[in-house]
Amino acid sequence: MQNRLMSTMDSNENMAEVSSVLRCGSSQAIEPSNTDSSKTNKRKRSEIWNHYCEERSREDLARMVILQEMPFTTVEHPAFQMFIRNLRPEFHIVSRTTLSSDCFKTYEKEKRRLEDLFKTNCGRISLTSDMWTSNQTLGYMCLTAHYITNDWKLKKHIINFKLVPSPHTGLVISDAIANCILSWNIEKRLGSITLDNLSANTVVATELQKQFRKDLLLDGKFFYVRCCAHILNLIVKDGLKVVEGAIHRIREAVKYIKSSQGRLELFMGIVKQFKMNGKKRICIDVPTRWNSTYLMLNDAIEFKDVFMRLVARDPNFDNAPTEEDWSQGIIICNFLKVFHLITEVFSQTKNPTANLYFYEIWRINMLLIEESRSQNAVVMMMALKMQEKFDKYWKECSHILAVGVVLDPRHKMNLIIYCFQTIHGNGDRASFEINKVREVLQTFYDNYAILYGTNVSLVQVDERVSTSQGGRHENRFMHGYKEFIHGVQVTQPSKSELETYLEEKVHPLEDQNFDILQYWKFNESKYPILSRMVRDILAIPVSTVASESAFSTAGRVLDDFRSSLSPNTVEVLICAQDWLRDSLPHLADIPPPHTKYKVEDYETVVDINTDD
């Protein structure tokens, strides 16, 4: 029986016959009591085997290549071809050219799906844009769309990955973004654009605002949002300049023990003398990644006493950090810890809705205000230098971030009042800022009420009264009464949805399972106009960068594989991968390989293991 089965498989005869052989050949070994269920299971397997589709298999192959970032030449490798022949002999293995064509078809199919979603299943679309560089120094613009669907799911998709011709001026980049917007037909759905705090990007935002002004809310007054993570990078970078001497000496000390096996062994011996048991590490930072500087200081400070004793034990360790350097290192570390945690909030939150950011920015402001009055001269100088750059960002973005907080039912206006009064006291300045938030909030709502709100029309009244009276002959006699009802309903004062929302009790802060998107989904019918506004504002991103690059001041670099492809193919593969990952939830939290930096978080990590 086995020989007959193998013979049938090898000759590629009718697959229905193979299934029949499988059923007949295996039934002899089945106990009578299990015959029916076993036959049913084998029949199902046979049906699956017979439902083979060549076209679908080619689609799956293209999807796998896109998702795994495999080269098109994979299909020409002998090992892959052998695997396919053994797995499914009748599958026709395509050439690399055909595979490339299949990937382009997958891209077009997924693009049509996304276009349909933009037309019917989402609110306004907010954009982020950043630049990538290939290893051939070609500049690519990555444009990402952020939106909330009709069923209140926060989504983001890379919609374009375009080669941008040099020079990368504001006008050139704005033209590239505008062309992408028009190609997707989303100009009437534009919400905002978030860009790095570069002078060229100010030109980009201004030009886009001019071009699409008639389609933007409030004539684009809040269209341009500055990247918060980039601002924090610049603030921290300025602050670190004040203490770069101490940081440099601590960095050199770490490099010193790593430079030879003998020095590392001597260092490890001192660690054991201090009985510092357990697995620890000490790292050398990457200067362009300020978080690695924070982590380097945090690790090195733990070994402060070891470094101090190494000075006495090693006569060549002549440029060791001083006691003052270590004291400054501890101060810097404590200072940077807050920025490190807040940047993680901006870049690593799974659902980074706009209500999260105002409080974090306020925390930074309070920290800088407090430390600018510090008795420690170094801390005071750092804080003052950082505050100068921070004030400009806070002034430009605080109000739109504040509106996001008000739309969080756990806070409403309460957090706004508390934060501004904490900064400015209870005087006129605090009242001005609070009233400004109310004004911006009301202006937004009024705009949405005009776009989506409707009064009860005379026609609606006519239909309602006609139905209730039940006769067509009565319409003539009821005409005057219906006009009266219409006049009463139009002139009768009533509270707006915004007023009703603000007057209701806040949601308990203690609710650890609170989900703002689910809250507004549940209350959408209660606040039909306000919920539209909420959906658009909560989708506004305050950062252009993903968590892998949130701490970096360097540019993104395209990997070698993608750099070798044509610009059109690069866009197809990167966009299609992003869209396909959306349909595979288990991949959502795993960054695709092309987003990872070629340079790691640290230049070197030295493991300090004293366990026996």
Side-chain angles (χ1 to χ4, degrees):
M1 183 61 67
Q2 290 178 348
N3 291 334
R4 180 185 171 190
L5 175 60
M6 293 301 297
S7 173
T8 306
M9 293 286 288
D10 291 339
S11 61
N12 286 329
E13 292 181 3
N14 188 283
M15 298 309 299
E17 182 181 345
V18 175
S19 300
S20 176
V21 172
L22 285 170
R23 287 196 297 272
C24 294
S26 58
S27 62
Q28 299 175 5
I30 299 173
E31 294 295 327
S33 60
N34 296 327
T35 300
D36 292 340
S37 61
S38 296
K39 286 184 177 180
T40 300
N41 292 334
K42 294 184 183 303
R43 184 166 56 253
K44 289 180 179 179
R45 289 198 295 269
S46 176
E47 289 173 355
I48 294 172
W49 185 257
N50 287 328
H51 281 133
Y52 166 73
C53 174
E54 177 91 5
E55 182 179 355
R56 178 53 194 254
S57 295
R58 279 180 53 177
E59 288 180 3
D60 289 341
L61 175 61
R63 289 160 63 96
M64 180 187 72
V65 167
I66 291 169
L67 286 166
Q68 291 295 105
E69 302 186 5
M70 301 168 66
F72 297 139
T73 54
T74 298
V75 292
E76 297 177 350
H77 196 285
F80 176 82
Q81 294 182 348
M82 180 181 295
F83 170 73
I84 294 299
R85 283 196 298 269
N86 291 333
L87 180 68
R88 195 83 204 195
E90 66 271 35
F91 178 73
H92 175 69
I93 300 175
V94 298
S95 67
R96 60 181 176 180
T97 303
T98 303
L99 176 60
S100 173
S101 177
D102 287 347
C103 289
F104 272 74
K105 290 177 182 177
T106 299
Y107 165 84
E108 292 295 340
K109 179 180 178 180
E110 292 299 314
K111 184 178 181 181
R112 288 192 296 271
R113 180 182 66 83
L114 197 56
E115 286 174 333
D116 291 341
L117 189 151
F118 287 162
K119 290 178 183 177
T120 61
N121 193 32
C122 72
R124 286 191 174 264
I125 298 169
S126 291
L127 303 174
T128 57
S129 176
D130 58 352
M131 296 297 295
W132 289 60
T133 305
S134 72
N135 59 12
Q136 300 163 349
T137 68
L138 299 176
Y140 285 85
M141 178 202 68
C142 180
L143 191 66
T144 305
H146 305 253
Y147 60 93
I148 294 175
T149 62
N150 290 346
D151 59 348
W152 291 89
K153 302 292 185 184
L154 181 64
K155 298 285 188 178
K156 67 175 181 178
H157 293 295
I158 297 173
I159 57 174
N160 287 102
F161 199 90
K162 290 288 187 185
L163 178 67
V164 179
S166 296
H168 297 156
T169 63
L171 290 175
V172 171
I173 296 172
S174 66
D175 284 344
I177 294 176
N179 289 335
C180 292
I181 291 170
L182 294 171
S183 70
W184 281 91
N185 296 314
I186 59 173
E187 61 271 16
K188 295 187 181 301
R189 287 183 173 270
L190 281 184
S192 66
I193 187 165
T194 304
L195 301 168
D196 287 350
N197 191 41
L198 303 175
S199 57
N201 283 336
T202 301
V203 176
V204 172
T206 301
E207 292 300 314
L208 292 174
Q209 184 180 353
K210 289 179 183 177
Q211 183 169 350
F212 300 110
R213 183 185 298 275
K214 64 183 178 64
D215 297 313
L216 299 175
L217 288 171
L218 306 176
D219 291 328
K221 184 177 180 180
F222 298 100
F223 176 63
Y224 179 26
V225 178
R226 298 180 186 274
C227 174
C228 197
H230 189 254
I231 293 290
L232 292 186
N233 277 325
L234 296 177
I235 291 171
V236 173
K237 188 177 178 182
D238 273 8
L240 291 179
K241 289 178 181 177
V242 176
V243 288
E244 58 187 357
I247 294 174
H248 172 74
R249 283 184 286 274
I250 293 175
R251 181 186 295 117
E252 291 301 310
V254 176
K255 287 182 178 179
Y256 181 81
I257 65 166
K258 180 252 178 195
S259 61
S260 75
Q261 182 66 26
R263 290 169 182 171
L264 181 58
E265 289 175 356
L266 179 58
F267 186 85
M268 293 284 288
I270 300 173
V271 169
K272 289 183 178 181
Q273 291 176 11
F274 278 99
K275 298 182 179 179
M276 300 174 66
N277 297 324
K279 294 181 179 179
K280 303 180 187 297
R281 69 176 186 182
I282 190 167
C283 63
I284 301 173
D285 68 329
V286 177
T288 57
R289 306 196 71 174
W290 68 263
N291 75 309
S292 69
T293 301
Y294 159 74
L295 295 171
M296 177 191 72
L297 292 173
N298 192 54
D299 292 341
I301 287 168
E302 191 170 355
F303 295 96
K304 170 193 166 184
D305 292 336
V306 179
F307 279 107
M308 297 292 284
R309 182 169 294 187
L310 185 63
V311 174
R313 298 281 300 274
D314 186 349
N316 296 319
F317 191 29
D318 53 5
N319 195 27
T322 64
E323 186 70 43
E324 183 180 353
D325 289 337
W326 288 112
S327 297
Q328 288 188 7
I330 293 171
I331 293 170
I332 298 164
C333 200
N334 291 334
F335 205 68
L336 293 182
K337 183 176 182 180
V338 178
F339 288 86
H340 179 81
L341 295 175
I342 290 174
T343 303
E344 286 185 332
V345 171
F346 291 153
S347 60
Q348 295 183 358
T349 307
K350 190 173 182 180
N351 293 307
T353 46
N355 60 303
L356 301 175
Y357 305 121
F358 179 86
Y359 174 72
E360 303 299 338
I361 296 295
W362 170 79
R363 282 177 60 194
I364 292 175
N365 199 1
M366 289 303 299
L367 176 67
L368 295 177
I369 290 173
E370 291 173 2
E371 298 300 349
S372 65
R373 302 165 185 160
S374 173
Q375 298 298 315
N376 186 299
V378 173
V379 173
M380 182 184 69
M381 289 175 62
M382 281 185 65
L384 288 173
K385 196 168 185 63
M386 296 166 79
Q387 183 77 51
E388 183 180 349
K389 190 174 291 290
F390 176 87
D391 284 343
K392 181 180 179 181
Y393 175 76
W394 174 258
K395 181 179 179 181
E396 293 180 356
C397 298
S398 62
H399 294 130
I400 189 62
L401 295 178
V403 170
V405 169
V406 178
L407 299 176
D408 187 331
R410 296 170 298 176
H411 304 302
K412 300 188 179 180
M413 285 298 298
N414 293 341
L415 184 60
I416 302 302
I417 294 170
Y418 173 76
C419 289
F420 280 119
Q421 287 184 350
T422 306
I423 296 172
H424 304 296
N426 296 324
D428 293 339
R429 177 64 188 279
S431 297
F432 172 82
E433 297 292 349
I434 294 167
N435 289 332
K436 183 64 177 178
V437 173
R438 287 196 175 103
E439 178 187 330
V440 172
L441 179 68
Q442 189 65 53
T443 303
F444 263 108
Y445 177 78
D446 290 344
N447 193 270
Y448 275 82
I450 292 170
L451 291 173
Y452 305 110
T454 55
N455 288 319
V456 180
S457 67
L458 184 59
V459 174
Q460 291 172 313
V461 174
D462 179 76
E463 291 176 350
R464 189 166 63 246
V465 175
S466 298
T467 303
S468 64
Q469 294 298 324
R472 61 180 181 176
H473 300 295
E474 295 175 276
N475 286 347
R476 179 167 56 89
F477 302 102
M478 296 297 295
H479 183 71
Y481 178 54
K482 286 180 286 188
E483 287 185 337
F484 169 76
I485 292 176
H486 178 68
V488 170
Q489 290 180 332
V490 170
T491 59
Q492 183 178 353
S494 61
K495 292 181 180 179
S496 69
E497 292 177 19
L498 179 60
E499 290 172 315
T500 302
Y501 165 74
L502 292 175
E503 289 177 4
E504 288 185 344
K505 291 183 178 179
V506 295
H507 189 85
L509 277 173
E510 296 77 17
D511 184 359
Q512 299 296 318
N513 298 317
F514 176 76
D515 185 328
I516 191 170
L517 296 179
Q518 288 302 307
Y519 171 89
W520 281 105
K521 180 180 180 180
F522 180 79
N523 287 280
E524 185 174 15
S525 59
K526 183 177 180 180
Y527 304 111
I529 299 172
L530 185 60
S531 63
R532 282 180 175 266
M533 172 179 148
V534 171
R535 187 168 59 168
D536 295 342
I537 289 179
L538 291 185
I540 297 175
V542 300
S543 174
T544 65
V545 292
S547 58
E548 297 77 42
S549 55
F551 299 99
S552 178
T553 55
R556 292 183 171 192
V557 179
L558 208 60
D559 62 30
D560 293 338
F561 166 58
R562 295 186 184 278
S563 294
S564 67
L565 303 172
S566 70
N568 283 344
T569 304
V570 169
E571 179 175 41
V572 164
L573 294 180
I574 287 181
C575 289
Q577 182 192 68
D578 182 75
W579 304 339
L580 290 171
R581 286 168 63 85
D582 185 56
S583 62
L584 299 170
H586 61 285
L587 292 179
D589 296 328
I590 304 174
H594 75 265
T595 65
K596 296 178 181 177
Y597 267 79
K598 299 178 76 62
V599 179
E600 298 298 328
D601 283 352
Y602 319 106
E603 286 186 359
T604 308
V605 175
V606 180
D607 291 321
I608 309 297
N609 187 358
T610 59
D611 290 341
D612 293 332

